[in-house]
Amino acid sequence: MTILKLISCTVDDDNVAAFTASQCAWQQLENCSGFLAQAGGWRADLNKLPLQNYAAPLHDKNINTAVVFGFWQSVEDVTAFMQTTHDQIFTTNHQGKTYQTCQVKYFEMLPTSSNLVVAHLNSEIISISHYVADLAQMA
């Protein structure tokens, strides 16, 4: 069954360009057994929309959320990647210095008739359409 690796990182404004540049190193994933695809973007921050948060102090840094979707053929494939290639790419691209927090969750893809829904390996359920809508707004 196809596995979704959902990565969410918070990045301050000063590190957006560095985080984005470091993402290019992950192109090496295409050489990993079981890797299917990866996509991502910046999640829209509703508080940054015009007229909603204009009174925020100017010295506060804005926090941005990067969302990355990685698709793998199986749990075994993504596990093998994490045990072998992941740390080499991560160390080489210095991405750890570009974000404040990083959350990773794994989901099994579940076929449905209306929406793309996935189930977390620990019984959490999400709908991909929520995240896809955020990414589409940025295109």
Side-chain angles (χ1 to χ4, degrees):
M1 182 168 287
T2 302
I3 301 298
L4 165 66
K5 181 179 179 182
L6 175 61
I7 306 162
S8 178
C9 298
T10 56
V11 180
D12 66 40
D13 283 344
D14 293 342
N15 286 313
V16 167
F19 182 90
T20 301
S22 68
Q23 276 300 111
C24 293
W26 296 101
Q27 288 180 326
Q28 297 174 52
L29 289 173
E30 65 190 16
N31 299 319
C32 294
S33 178
F35 175 73
L36 299 173
Q38 180 168 294
W42 296 96
R43 184 171 178 169
D45 182 349
L46 299 179
N47 292 324
K48 291 183 185 178
L49 294 177
L51 305 177
Q52 289 191 7
N53 199 20
Y54 61 87
L58 295 176
H59 64 275
D60 282 354
K61 287 185 179 178
N62 289 319
I63 301 299
N64 308 281
T65 303
V67 180
V68 179
F69 299 91
F71 297 92
W72 294 84
Q73 288 181 358
S74 69
V75 171
E76 293 80 16
D77 289 323
V78 72
T79 300
F81 161 72
M82 292 302 296
Q83 293 174 347
T84 58
T85 312
H86 176 275
D87 289 353
Q88 179 183 7
I89 297 171
F90 182 77
T91 302
T92 302
N93 74 8
H94 305 287
Q95 193 166 24
K97 298 176 183 178
T98 67
Y99 60 83
Q100 294 177 323
T101 65
C102 184
Q103 182 179 33
V104 178
K105 292 184 178 182
Y106 295 92
F107 298 85
E108 288 183 323
M109 305 294 289
L110 301 175
T112 66
S113 59
S114 59
N115 278 327
L116 178 58
V117 175
V118 294
H120 187 271
L121 296 178
N122 292 328
S123 301
E124 179 182 354
I125 297 175
I126 66 167
S127 170
I128 292 297
S129 59
H130 169 76
Y131 290 98
V132 172
D134 284 348
L135 293 173
Q137 290 177 359
M138 292 174 247

